[in-house]
Amino acid sequence: MLFLLLPLLAALFPGGDSNEPVSLHVMWTSYFHNHSWVHVGSGWLGELQTHRWNRSSGTVIYLYPWSRGNFSNKELVDVERLFQLYFNEHQDFYIYELMFKAGCDLHSGKGFINFLHVAIGGYDFLSFQNETWSPSPNSGRKAQKACKLLTLDQDNTYRLHRILSDTCPRFTLGLLDAGKAHLQRQVKSEAWLSSGPSPGPGRLLLVCHVSGFYPKPVWVMWMRGEQGQLGTQRGDILPNADGTWYLRATLDVAAGEVAGLACRVKHSSLGGQDLVLYWAPQKSLGWIFLAVIVALALLTVFCIHISCLSLLPKALPFFLIFIFFSLFLLL
Ligand SMILES: *[C@@H]1O[C@H](CO)[C@@H](O)[C@H](O)[C@H]1NC(C)=O
Ligand SMILES: *[C@@H]1O[C@H](CO)[C@@H](O)[C@H](O)[C@H]1NC(C)=O
Ligand SMILES: *[C@@H]1O[C@H](CO)[C@@H](O)[C@H](O)[C@H]1NC(C)=O
Ligand SMILES: *[C@@H]1O[C@H](CO)[C@@H](O)[C@H](O)[C@H]1NC(C)=O
């Protein structure tokens, strides 16, 4: 199983990331609240947020030193002004909630593909691609009418097309280059085990937490020896606040079958050395105490039997040392 998975992993790990489309996109929401418009905007390079809109000043906040890519200040201010212009001009719309997502995806071999989707009041309304406005399916007559009107405005349509098909790709390439050190960094994960809520009588839910890794591709599996446990359930890979990732993998097992189970993690940051965490039964300390007490009781009974009770206090320290030494070796 592991052998079959290894080539797959090799393909997933860096070096193989050229197959993943890289996208630069802007998410924008404007809504009317308490007699005024609120604009919430953010810029994303793939799954990494690189920009934010400052609501009070109406300017872009660059979240990383490299978030300016290779654009000059003038070109950055021009783009910023476009947002200011557009969203101030349209403040007296009858719309109460507008959302859009626009940007460009870099596909290996196919170059950039750009997109713009607009939703109104939470529903898809229209989209723009390749100089063409199209109403979204089921968006009704209003969207068709809006598309007709927008198409008539040739200057703005062409300007938008230029931004998506020229500015966006140039900016994306510049960003990828400027942010190379950050985007290609390797962050080692930490991992720990816990037990989840019992799935049923006599069953245990083993949980393997893997947190703080970067980049995103990761492989986590519950194993018995070299055998991957097919019952391993992987959760979604969730973002940590610091830009790294978190994942949990669970396994539902009979309580009697936990011995020898381990959680195995493969990640590009680990340099080929898998992280392996063995499930240590949580009751083990209780069992150790029980074993010591039973041994002491047996010794006492034995002593009473051969009437050596008077010797017992002297022998006890040696006996305890013997027991702890044996346990130490066992563990
Ligand atoms: C609404 O805005 C006004 C100022 O424009 C402010 O004084 C008031 O506290 C706001 N109300 C709420 C509920 O935010
Ligand atoms: C947003 O703009 C305001 C007003 O210009 C400024 O005081 C504030 O520092 C800005 N916030 C950030 C995070 O840059
Ligand atoms: C975009 O439109 C141009 C003509 O305006 C056409 O040549 C091209 O094939 C279109 N591309 C896509 C992806 O639709
Ligand atoms: C930024 O980098 C991209 C890709 O390397 C390049 O095409 C572009 O001309 C550069 N400069 C500007 C101002 O876009």
Side-chain angles (χ1 to χ4, degrees), residues 299-327:
L299 185 74
T300 314
V301 169
F302 180 67
C303 259
I304 290 169
H305 192 65
I306 61 164
S307 38
C308 69
L309 220 48
S310 57
L311 288 176
L312 198 57
K314 280 180 200 149
L316 202 59
F318 297 104
F319 180 71
L320 284 178
I321 288 169
F322 172 74
I323 288 192
F324 282 117
F325 189 66
S326 317
L327 281 173

PDB file of all heavy atoms in Angstrom, residues 299-327:
ATOM      1  N   LEU A 299       3.472 -10.754  47.651  1.00  0.00           N
ATOM      2  CA  LEU A 299       4.667 -10.901  48.488  1.00  0.00           C
ATOM      3  C   LEU A 299       4.274 -11.041  49.967  1.00  0.00           C
ATOM      4  O   LEU A 299       4.808 -11.889  50.690  1.00  0.00           O
ATOM      5  CB  LEU A 299       5.570  -9.671  48.302  1.00  0.00           C
ATOM      6  CG  LEU A 299       6.918  -9.735  49.011  1.00  0.00           C
ATOM      7  CD1 LEU A 299       7.836 -10.688  48.259  1.00  0.00           C
ATOM      8  CD2 LEU A 299       7.556  -8.374  49.123  1.00  0.00           C
ATOM      9  N   THR A 300       3.307 -10.200  50.386  1.00  0.00           N
ATOM     10  CA  THR A 300       2.859 -10.240  51.779  1.00  0.00           C
ATOM     11  C   THR A 300       2.256 -11.603  52.112  1.00  0.00           C
ATOM     12  O   THR A 300       2.607 -12.225  53.129  1.00  0.00           O
ATOM     13  CB  THR A 300       1.809  -9.134  52.014  1.00  0.00           C
ATOM     14  OG1 THR A 300       2.293  -7.939  51.431  1.00  0.00           O
ATOM     15  CG2 THR A 300       1.574  -8.912  53.500  1.00  0.00           C
ATOM     16  N   VAL A 301       1.367 -12.056  51.202  1.00  0.00           N
ATOM     17  CA  VAL A 301       0.719 -13.360  51.422  1.00  0.00           C
ATOM     18  C   VAL A 301       1.771 -14.453  51.515  1.00  0.00           C
ATOM     19  O   VAL A 301       1.765 -15.308  52.415  1.00  0.00           O
ATOM     20  CB  VAL A 301      -0.287 -13.662  50.281  1.00  0.00           C
ATOM     21  CG1 VAL A 301      -0.775 -15.105  50.346  1.00  0.00           C
ATOM     22  CG2 VAL A 301      -1.455 -12.698  50.362  1.00  0.00           C
ATOM     23  N   PHE A 302       2.741 -14.382  50.584  1.00  0.00           N
ATOM     24  CA  PHE A 302       3.806 -15.374  50.540  1.00  0.00           C
ATOM     25  C   PHE A 302       4.599 -15.354  51.854  1.00  0.00           C
ATOM     26  O   PHE A 302       4.908 -16.385  52.459  1.00  0.00           O
ATOM     27  CB  PHE A 302       4.715 -15.064  49.339  1.00  0.00           C
ATOM     28  CG  PHE A 302       5.869 -16.021  49.183  1.00  0.00           C
ATOM     29  CD1 PHE A 302       5.641 -17.356  48.855  1.00  0.00           C
ATOM     30  CD2 PHE A 302       7.171 -15.601  49.376  1.00  0.00           C
ATOM     31  CE1 PHE A 302       6.702 -18.223  48.708  1.00  0.00           C
ATOM     32  CE2 PHE A 302       8.233 -16.471  49.230  1.00  0.00           C
ATOM     33  CZ  PHE A 302       7.988 -17.785  48.890  1.00  0.00           C
ATOM     34  N   CYS A 303       4.899 -14.128  52.342  1.00  0.00           N
ATOM     35  CA  CYS A 303       5.668 -13.967  53.571  1.00  0.00           C
ATOM     36  C   CYS A 303       4.919 -14.521  54.787  1.00  0.00           C
ATOM     37  O   CYS A 303       5.501 -15.168  55.650  1.00  0.00           O
ATOM     38  CB  CYS A 303       5.977 -12.497  53.802  1.00  0.00           C
ATOM     39  SG  CYS A 303       7.652 -12.105  53.318  1.00  0.00           S
ATOM     40  N   ILE A 304       3.597 -14.214  54.822  1.00  0.00           N
ATOM     41  CA  ILE A 304       2.800 -14.728  55.946  1.00  0.00           C
ATOM     42  C   ILE A 304       2.881 -16.253  55.942  1.00  0.00           C
ATOM     43  O   ILE A 304       3.069 -16.904  56.977  1.00  0.00           O
ATOM     44  CB  ILE A 304       1.335 -14.248  55.836  1.00  0.00           C
ATOM     45  CG1 ILE A 304       1.288 -12.735  56.111  1.00  0.00           C
ATOM     46  CG2 ILE A 304       0.418 -14.992  56.806  1.00  0.00           C
ATOM     47  CD1 ILE A 304      -0.030 -12.088  55.782  1.00  0.00           C
ATOM     48  N   HIS A 305       2.813 -16.805  54.726  1.00  0.00           N
ATOM     49  CA  HIS A 305       2.826 -18.253  54.562  1.00  0.00           C
ATOM     50  C   HIS A 305       4.111 -18.865  55.120  1.00  0.00           C
ATOM     51  O   HIS A 305       4.084 -19.842  55.855  1.00  0.00           O
ATOM     52  CB  HIS A 305       2.666 -18.587  53.080  1.00  0.00           C
ATOM     53  CG  HIS A 305       2.384 -20.031  52.834  1.00  0.00           C
ATOM     54  ND1 HIS A 305       1.224 -20.647  53.276  1.00  0.00           N
ATOM     55  CD2 HIS A 305       3.114 -20.994  52.218  1.00  0.00           C
ATOM     56  CE1 HIS A 305       1.250 -21.909  52.936  1.00  0.00           C
ATOM     57  NE2 HIS A 305       2.395 -22.160  52.295  1.00  0.00           N
ATOM     58  N   ILE A 306       5.277 -18.242  54.786  1.00  0.00           N
ATOM     59  CA  ILE A 306       6.538 -18.827  55.288  1.00  0.00           C
ATOM     60  C   ILE A 306       7.029 -18.073  56.526  1.00  0.00           C
ATOM     61  O   ILE A 306       8.182 -18.163  56.906  1.00  0.00           O
ATOM     62  CB  ILE A 306       7.646 -18.860  54.199  1.00  0.00           C
ATOM     63  CG1 ILE A 306       7.985 -17.416  53.730  1.00  0.00           C
ATOM     64  CG2 ILE A 306       7.223 -19.692  52.985  1.00  0.00           C
ATOM     65  CD1 ILE A 306       9.290 -17.352  52.971  1.00  0.00           C
ATOM     66  N   SER A 307       6.120 -17.286  57.149  1.00  0.00           N
ATOM     67  CA  SER A 307       6.388 -16.482  58.355  1.00  0.00           C
ATOM     68  C   SER A 307       7.729 -15.723  58.308  1.00  0.00           C
ATOM     69  O   SER A 307       8.636 -15.967  59.089  1.00  0.00           O
ATOM     70  CB  SER A 307       6.295 -17.328  59.636  1.00  0.00           C
ATOM     71  OG  SER A 307       6.822 -18.604  59.413  1.00  0.00           O
ATOM     72  N   CYS A 308       7.828 -14.830  57.320  1.00  0.00           N
ATOM     73  CA  CYS A 308       9.037 -14.003  57.197  1.00  0.00           C
ATOM     74  C   CYS A 308       8.658 -12.539  57.355  1.00  0.00           C
ATOM     75  O   CYS A 308       9.361 -11.649  56.899  1.00  0.00           O
ATOM     76  CB  CYS A 308       9.723 -14.215  55.855  1.00  0.00           C
ATOM     77  SG  CYS A 308       8.778 -13.571  54.475  1.00  0.00           S
ATOM     78  N   LEU A 309       7.466 -12.302  57.969  1.00  0.00           N
ATOM     79  CA  LEU A 309       6.921 -10.958  58.045  1.00  0.00           C
ATOM     80  C   LEU A 309       7.898  -9.961  58.669  1.00  0.00           C
ATOM     81  O   LEU A 309       7.962  -8.798  58.282  1.00  0.00           O
ATOM     82  CB  LEU A 309       5.617 -10.987  58.860  1.00  0.00           C
ATOM     83  CG  LEU A 309       4.495 -10.092  58.313  1.00  0.00           C
ATOM     84  CD1 LEU A 309       4.302 -10.285  56.830  1.00  0.00           C
ATOM     85  CD2 LEU A 309       3.211 -10.350  59.069  1.00  0.00           C
ATOM     86  N   SER A 310       8.693 -10.423  59.624  1.00  0.00           N
ATOM     87  CA  SER A 310       9.635  -9.519  60.290  1.00  0.00           C
ATOM     88  C   SER A 310      10.734  -9.051  59.342  1.00  0.00           C
ATOM     89  O   SER A 310      11.308  -7.989  59.517  1.00  0.00           O
ATOM     90  CB  SER A 310      10.247 -10.214  61.499  1.00  0.00           C
ATOM     91  OG  SER A 310      10.863 -11.405  61.039  1.00  0.00           O
ATOM     92  N   LEU A 311      10.996  -9.869  58.287  1.00  0.00           N
ATOM     93  CA  LEU A 311      12.052  -9.490  57.331  1.00  0.00           C
ATOM     94  C   LEU A 311      11.553  -8.500  56.274  1.00  0.00           C
ATOM     95  O   LEU A 311      12.344  -7.834  55.619  1.00  0.00           O
ATOM     96  CB  LEU A 311      12.587 -10.741  56.620  1.00  0.00           C
ATOM     97  CG  LEU A 311      13.444 -11.681  57.464  1.00  0.00           C
ATOM     98  CD1 LEU A 311      13.801 -12.911  56.646  1.00  0.00           C
ATOM     99  CD2 LEU A 311      14.713 -10.969  57.917  1.00  0.00           C
ATOM    100  N   LEU A 312      10.229  -8.460  56.144  1.00  0.00           N
ATOM    101  CA  LEU A 312       9.635  -7.700  55.016  1.00  0.00           C
ATOM    102  C   LEU A 312      10.070  -6.233  54.944  1.00  0.00           C
ATOM    103  O   LEU A 312      10.458  -5.766  53.860  1.00  0.00           O
ATOM    104  CB  LEU A 312       8.108  -7.813  55.081  1.00  0.00           C
ATOM    105  CG  LEU A 312       7.378  -7.460  53.771  1.00  0.00           C
ATOM    106  CD1 LEU A 312       7.868  -8.327  52.627  1.00  0.00           C
ATOM    107  CD2 LEU A 312       5.881  -7.595  53.940  1.00  0.00           C
ATOM    108  N   PRO A 313      10.029  -5.457  56.041  1.00  0.00           N
ATOM    109  CA  PRO A 313      10.429  -4.048  55.948  1.00  0.00           C
ATOM    110  C   PRO A 313      11.836  -3.884  55.376  1.00  0.00           C
ATOM    111  O   PRO A 313      12.106  -2.937  54.633  1.00  0.00           O
ATOM    112  CB  PRO A 313      10.371  -3.555  57.388  1.00  0.00           C
ATOM    113  CG  PRO A 313       9.410  -4.487  58.056  1.00  0.00           C
ATOM    114  CD  PRO A 313       9.593  -5.806  57.399  1.00  0.00           C
ATOM    115  N   LYS A 314      12.732  -4.810  55.696  1.00  0.00           N
ATOM    116  CA  LYS A 314      14.108  -4.704  55.184  1.00  0.00           C
ATOM    117  C   LYS A 314      14.171  -5.035  53.692  1.00  0.00           C
ATOM    118  O   LYS A 314      14.940  -4.441  52.937  1.00  0.00           O
ATOM    119  CB  LYS A 314      15.036  -5.659  55.957  1.00  0.00           C
ATOM    120  CG  LYS A 314      15.452  -5.082  57.304  1.00  0.00           C
ATOM    121  CD  LYS A 314      16.355  -6.056  58.032  1.00  0.00           C
ATOM    122  CE  LYS A 314      16.367  -5.733  59.510  1.00  0.00           C
ATOM    123  NZ  LYS A 314      16.572  -6.951  60.324  1.00  0.00           N
ATOM    124  N   ALA A 315      13.329  -5.982  53.267  1.00  0.00           N
ATOM    125  CA  ALA A 315      13.378  -6.443  51.871  1.00  0.00           C
ATOM    126  C   ALA A 315      12.652  -5.491  50.925  1.00  0.00           C
ATOM    127  O   ALA A 315      12.927  -5.464  49.722  1.00  0.00           O
ATOM    128  CB  ALA A 315      12.770  -7.844  51.765  1.00  0.00           C
ATOM    129  N   LEU A 316      11.703  -4.697  51.499  1.00  0.00           N
ATOM    130  CA  LEU A 316      10.818  -3.876  50.663  1.00  0.00           C
ATOM    131  C   LEU A 316      11.552  -2.944  49.694  1.00  0.00           C
ATOM    132  O   LEU A 316      11.229  -2.923  48.497  1.00  0.00           O
ATOM    133  CB  LEU A 316       9.863  -3.088  51.565  1.00  0.00           C
ATOM    134  CG  LEU A 316       8.572  -2.615  50.874  1.00  0.00           C
ATOM    135  CD1 LEU A 316       7.804  -3.801  50.322  1.00  0.00           C
ATOM    136  CD2 LEU A 316       7.720  -1.819  51.844  1.00  0.00           C
ATOM    137  N   PRO A 317      12.533  -2.159  50.151  1.00  0.00           N
ATOM    138  CA  PRO A 317      13.217  -1.255  49.213  1.00  0.00           C
ATOM    139  C   PRO A 317      13.808  -2.003  48.018  1.00  0.00           C
ATOM    140  O   PRO A 317      13.671  -1.563  46.874  1.00  0.00           O
ATOM    141  CB  PRO A 317      14.323  -0.629  50.062  1.00  0.00           C
ATOM    142  CG  PRO A 317      13.860  -0.783  51.465  1.00  0.00           C
ATOM    143  CD  PRO A 317      13.055  -2.039  51.507  1.00  0.00           C
ATOM    144  N   PHE A 318      14.441  -3.164  48.273  1.00  0.00           N
ATOM    145  CA  PHE A 318      15.037  -3.939  47.170  1.00  0.00           C
ATOM    146  C   PHE A 318      13.958  -4.406  46.209  1.00  0.00           C
ATOM    147  O   PHE A 318      14.111  -4.354  44.996  1.00  0.00           O
ATOM    148  CB  PHE A 318      15.806  -5.150  47.727  1.00  0.00           C
ATOM    149  CG  PHE A 318      16.961  -4.733  48.579  1.00  0.00           C
ATOM    150  CD1 PHE A 318      16.904  -4.804  49.947  1.00  0.00           C
ATOM    151  CD2 PHE A 318      18.122  -4.238  47.969  1.00  0.00           C
ATOM    152  CE1 PHE A 318      17.969  -4.401  50.728  1.00  0.00           C
ATOM    153  CE2 PHE A 318      19.192  -3.826  48.749  1.00  0.00           C
ATOM    154  CZ  PHE A 318      19.120  -3.904  50.138  1.00  0.00           C
ATOM    155  N   PHE A 319      12.833  -4.830  46.823  1.00  0.00           N
ATOM    156  CA  PHE A 319      11.728  -5.325  46.003  1.00  0.00           C
ATOM    157  C   PHE A 319      11.197  -4.204  45.088  1.00  0.00           C
ATOM    158  O   PHE A 319      10.990  -4.388  43.892  1.00  0.00           O
ATOM    159  CB  PHE A 319      10.618  -5.838  46.930  1.00  0.00           C
ATOM    160  CG  PHE A 319       9.446  -6.364  46.180  1.00  0.00           C
ATOM    161  CD1 PHE A 319       9.536  -7.568  45.473  1.00  0.00           C
ATOM    162  CD2 PHE A 319       8.247  -5.664  46.149  1.00  0.00           C
ATOM    163  CE1 PHE A 319       8.450  -8.047  44.782  1.00  0.00           C
ATOM    164  CE2 PHE A 319       7.170  -6.144  45.448  1.00  0.00           C
ATOM    165  CZ  PHE A 319       7.266  -7.344  44.765  1.00  0.00           C
ATOM    166  N   LEU A 320      11.032  -3.000  45.680  1.00  0.00           N
ATOM    167  CA  LEU A 320      10.516  -1.875  44.892  1.00  0.00           C
ATOM    168  C   LEU A 320      11.477  -1.495  43.776  1.00  0.00           C
ATOM    169  O   LEU A 320      11.076  -1.264  42.640  1.00  0.00           O
ATOM    170  CB  LEU A 320      10.273  -0.656  45.807  1.00  0.00           C
ATOM    171  CG  LEU A 320       9.010  -0.762  46.666  1.00  0.00           C
ATOM    172  CD1 LEU A 320       8.873   0.457  47.571  1.00  0.00           C
ATOM    173  CD2 LEU A 320       7.770  -0.896  45.786  1.00  0.00           C
ATOM    174  N   ILE A 321      12.781  -1.480  44.124  1.00  0.00           N
ATOM    175  CA  ILE A 321      13.789  -1.155  43.103  1.00  0.00           C
ATOM    176  C   ILE A 321      13.710  -2.170  41.968  1.00  0.00           C
ATOM    177  O   ILE A 321      13.716  -1.813  40.781  1.00  0.00           O
ATOM    178  CB  ILE A 321      15.201  -1.127  43.725  1.00  0.00           C
ATOM    179  CG1 ILE A 321      15.327   0.122  44.599  1.00  0.00           C
ATOM    180  CG2 ILE A 321      16.286  -1.133  42.639  1.00  0.00           C
ATOM    181  CD1 ILE A 321      16.559   0.138  45.472  1.00  0.00           C
ATOM    182  N   PHE A 322      13.532  -3.440  42.346  1.00  0.00           N
ATOM    183  CA  PHE A 322      13.430  -4.502  41.351  1.00  0.00           C
ATOM    184  C   PHE A 322      12.232  -4.256  40.433  1.00  0.00           C
ATOM    185  O   PHE A 322      12.346  -4.313  39.198  1.00  0.00           O
ATOM    186  CB  PHE A 322      13.294  -5.860  42.065  1.00  0.00           C
ATOM    187  CG  PHE A 322      12.991  -6.987  41.121  1.00  0.00           C
ATOM    188  CD1 PHE A 322      13.970  -7.491  40.279  1.00  0.00           C
ATOM    189  CD2 PHE A 322      11.716  -7.539  41.079  1.00  0.00           C
ATOM    190  CE1 PHE A 322      13.680  -8.523  39.408  1.00  0.00           C
ATOM    191  CE2 PHE A 322      11.419  -8.570  40.208  1.00  0.00           C
ATOM    192  CZ  PHE A 322      12.407  -9.059  39.373  1.00  0.00           C
ATOM    193  N   ILE A 323      11.090  -3.908  41.044  1.00  0.00           N
ATOM    194  CA  ILE A 323       9.876  -3.696  40.240  1.00  0.00           C
ATOM    195  C   ILE A 323      10.045  -2.505  39.292  1.00  0.00           C
ATOM    196  O   ILE A 323       9.756  -2.584  38.099  1.00  0.00           O
ATOM    197  CB  ILE A 323       8.652  -3.460  41.161  1.00  0.00           C
ATOM    198  CG1 ILE A 323       8.267  -4.774  41.821  1.00  0.00           C
ATOM    199  CG2 ILE A 323       7.475  -2.883  40.359  1.00  0.00           C
ATOM    200  CD1 ILE A 323       6.938  -4.744  42.523  1.00  0.00           C
ATOM    201  N   PHE A 324      10.573  -1.389  39.803  1.00  0.00           N
ATOM    202  CA  PHE A 324      10.706  -0.210  38.951  1.00  0.00           C
ATOM    203  C   PHE A 324      11.717  -0.451  37.828  1.00  0.00           C
ATOM    204  O   PHE A 324      11.510  -0.013  36.703  1.00  0.00           O
ATOM    205  CB  PHE A 324      11.071   1.024  39.781  1.00  0.00           C
ATOM    206  CG  PHE A 324       9.873   1.587  40.494  1.00  0.00           C
ATOM    207  CD1 PHE A 324       9.812   1.631  41.864  1.00  0.00           C
ATOM    208  CD2 PHE A 324       8.781   2.043  39.763  1.00  0.00           C
ATOM    209  CE1 PHE A 324       8.691   2.132  42.509  1.00  0.00           C
ATOM    210  CE2 PHE A 324       7.660   2.538  40.398  1.00  0.00           C
ATOM    211  CZ  PHE A 324       7.606   2.580  41.778  1.00  0.00           C
ATOM    212  N   PHE A 325      12.763  -1.192  38.160  1.00  0.00           N
ATOM    213  CA  PHE A 325      13.759  -1.499  37.129  1.00  0.00           C
ATOM    214  C   PHE A 325      13.125  -2.350  36.030  1.00  0.00           C
ATOM    215  O   PHE A 325      13.314  -2.089  34.834  1.00  0.00           O
ATOM    216  CB  PHE A 325      14.944  -2.229  37.778  1.00  0.00           C
ATOM    217  CG  PHE A 325      16.110  -2.378  36.836  1.00  0.00           C
ATOM    218  CD1 PHE A 325      16.805  -1.256  36.391  1.00  0.00           C
ATOM    219  CD2 PHE A 325      16.507  -3.632  36.386  1.00  0.00           C
ATOM    220  CE1 PHE A 325      17.863  -1.385  35.522  1.00  0.00           C
ATOM    221  CE2 PHE A 325      17.555  -3.766  35.516  1.00  0.00           C
ATOM    222  CZ  PHE A 325      18.242  -2.643  35.083  1.00  0.00           C
ATOM    223  N   SER A 326      12.313  -3.347  36.433  1.00  0.00           N
ATOM    224  CA  SER A 326      11.644  -4.197  35.448  1.00  0.00           C
ATOM    225  C   SER A 326      10.706  -3.361  34.583  1.00  0.00           C
ATOM    226  O   SER A 326      10.662  -3.506  33.356  1.00  0.00           O
ATOM    227  CB  SER A 326      10.823  -5.294  36.133  1.00  0.00           C
ATOM    228  OG  SER A 326      11.535  -5.845  37.190  1.00  0.00           O
ATOM    229  N   LEU A 327       9.952  -2.473  35.227  1.00  0.00           N
ATOM    230  CA  LEU A 327       9.018  -1.637  34.473  1.00  0.00           C
ATOM    231  C   LEU A 327       9.759  -0.742  33.497  1.00  0.00           C
ATOM    232  O   LEU A 327       9.355  -0.574  32.352  1.00  0.00           O
ATOM    233  CB  LEU A 327       8.210  -0.763  35.440  1.00  0.00           C
ATOM    234  CG  LEU A 327       7.059  -1.469  36.129  1.00  0.00           C
ATOM    235  CD1 LEU A 327       6.439  -0.573  37.182  1.00  0.00           C
ATOM    236  CD2 LEU A 327       6.006  -1.871  35.098  1.00  0.00           C
TER     237      LEU A 327
END
